[in-house]
Amino acid sequence: MLSNNYKRARVISEIGCNHMGQFEIARELIQLSKECKADYAKFQKRNSRELLTEEQYNAPHPIPYNAYGTTYGAHREYLEFSQEQHADLKKYAETIGIGYSTSVWDVTSAREITELQPDFIKVPSACNNNFEMLELLRDSYQGDIHISMGMTTQEEEESVVQFFEATGQAADRLVIYSCTSGYPVRFSDICLLEINRLRERYEGRVKEVGFSGHHLGIAVDVAAYTLGARWIERHFTKDRTWKGTDHAASLEVPGLQKLIRDLHHTYDALHCKPTEILEVEIVQREKLKYRKVV
């Protein structure tokens, strides 16, 4: 039987590459995430020469309108921050009281972010089968490791968990996320009950289960939390009309504010009555409760 010992949801504001390669916008998005009361602001780190083949690097961006370079590789390079810039972003986030993290896509990026020692490092769905990178994170990094399970078979998912179990680390530092890899995702493709499946299969084997959403609106995230997702990750931008592929599946400030408000209110409501009649009900009971006239 699944346990439901609820604690307040931790919310990750996934800035990713929504800064459009501009460092000051990245800082502003951290500040806005903090003002929305998110727990973490998260970015992405790629080494494009390592991640892409020569053909992929030199190919045009599949959606020219969203391109920041004449080739896909140049586009990716434009959006990248250096390790030093990530260190500055981490320092800034900590200065204003919000956590910093980054998703890493390759071994070089994993090594660079490991050196910054954030609370956790995220592995995106696209890279959860890069066991060279997973080994580096497992054996050379001390924080928690969060891994999305989008576009991943159950056999592949099991292999990832067993990889961390091999060194006795899965239950202490591995967080796995229910995720559908689409931008944006139709509600029918979110498949929320995957959260139940992950919990039934891995509760006790991993530290926690989370939910990474690429959908529209905020109602589904509250349901995900109620089903047992302890981490809620949503893409975040200042303006959904900005140039880039992730903005359309991102929340703006009002959306993130309302999402976090609703998650906190849901947490406050998720318990049984401590007494049969609550204090707030006593007056109403005296005034309204039916009494048979004798």
Side-chain angles (χ1 to χ4, degrees):
M1 182 177 180
L2 293 174
S3 61
N4 278 311
N5 298 318
Y6 289 101
K7 53 187 177 183
R8 193 180 294 275
R10 281 146 298 172
V11 178
I12 300 168
S13 172
E14 165 63 274
I15 296 168
C17 298
N18 282 346
H19 49 71
M20 302 182 294
Q22 299 181 46
F23 187 77
E24 289 307 313
I25 291 179
R27 281 173 56 100
E28 183 183 12
L29 289 171
I30 293 174
Q31 176 66 45
L32 291 173
S33 299
K34 167 65 177 177
E35 291 174 4
C36 291
K37 301 183 179 180
D39 298 286
Y40 285 87
K42 186 169 75 65
F43 295 89
Q44 296 182 16
K45 188 84 173 75
R46 291 174 172 90
N47 183 306
S48 296
R49 286 294 184 184
E50 180 177 333
L51 189 63
L52 302 173
T53 66
E54 194 68 22
E55 181 180 2
Q56 290 171 328
Y57 191 98
N58 292 316
H61 192 290
I63 306 174
Y65 171 78
N66 288 321
Y68 284 96
T70 56
T71 66
Y72 185 71
H75 161 81
R76 291 258 50 105
E77 301 282 9
Y78 183 91
L79 294 172
E80 280 302 311
F81 290 145
S82 67
Q83 183 188 36
E84 292 75 19
Q85 287 175 307
H86 276 277
D88 288 342
L89 292 173
K90 180 175 184 285
K91 182 177 180 180
Y92 174 69
E94 292 168 348
T95 298
I96 65 172
I98 185 172
Y100 158 93
S101 185
T102 297
S103 291
V104 294
W105 288 66
D106 52 80
V107 172
T108 298
S109 299
R111 186 176 293 112
E112 291 177 345
I113 297 302
T114 291
E115 292 175 0
L116 302 184
Q117 290 297 304
D119 292 342
F120 70 89
I121 292 175
K122 183 85 184 292
V123 176
S125 298
C127 308
N128 63 20
N129 59 343
N130 184 342
F131 282 90
E132 181 183 2
M133 184 176 76
L134 294 181
E135 183 176 17
L136 172 69
L137 294 173
R138 185 191 67 181
D139 298 345
S140 302
Y141 167 66
Q142 301 304 311
D144 286 355
I145 301 167
H146 292 208
I147 302 181
S148 278
M149 295 296 181
M151 51 182 168
T152 302
T153 69
Q154 292 184 23
E155 182 179 1
E156 290 169 337
E157 170 190 286
E158 178 70 28
S159 296
V160 171
V161 174
Q162 288 184 9
F163 183 75
F164 286 88
E165 287 179 324
T167 54
Q169 299 183 53
D172 295 327
R173 53 192 296 244
L174 183 62
V175 178
I176 58 175
Y177 284 69
S178 173
C179 175
T180 298
S181 299
Y183 303 88
V185 171
R186 296 179 303 175
F187 290 103
S188 58
D189 287 333
I190 295 172
C191 304
L192 271 179
L193 294 184
E194 283 293 296
I195 295 169
N196 283 356
R197 184 188 64 79
L198 290 175
R199 292 183 64 213
E200 287 168 354
R201 184 164 184 173
Y202 296 111
E203 193 164 85
R205 295 176 61 188
V206 301
K207 185 175 183 178
E208 287 173 317
V209 169
F211 172 70
S212 179
H214 305 129
H215 52 282
L216 302 178
I218 60 175
V220 167
D221 305 88
V222 173
Y225 169 61
T226 306
L227 288 171
R230 298 297 179 250
W231 294 83
I232 303 294
E233 177 185 71
R234 290 297 303 273
H235 283 261
F236 178 63
T237 186
K238 187 177 179 181
D239 187 340
R240 294 179 68 245
T241 68
W242 276 352
K243 180 178 177 179
T245 54
D246 287 349
H247 296 288
S250 300
L251 296 176
E252 294 176 342
V253 168
L256 187 60
Q257 286 176 327
K258 291 174 183 176
L259 169 62
I260 295 171
R261 176 203 66 190
D262 290 353
L263 286 169
H264 289 177
H265 287 172
T266 302
Y267 167 74
D268 291 339
L270 276 170
H271 56 83
C272 294
K273 286 186 175 183
T275 60
E276 291 185 6
I277 306 297
L278 295 176
E279 184 178 351
V280 69
E281 295 179 304
I282 292 173
V283 172
Q284 305 306 320
R285 180 179 172 87
E286 290 298 319
K287 181 170 65 173
L288 301 174
K289 195 74 171 180
Y290 170 76
R291 292 181 179 83
K292 183 176 182 180
V293 178
V294 179

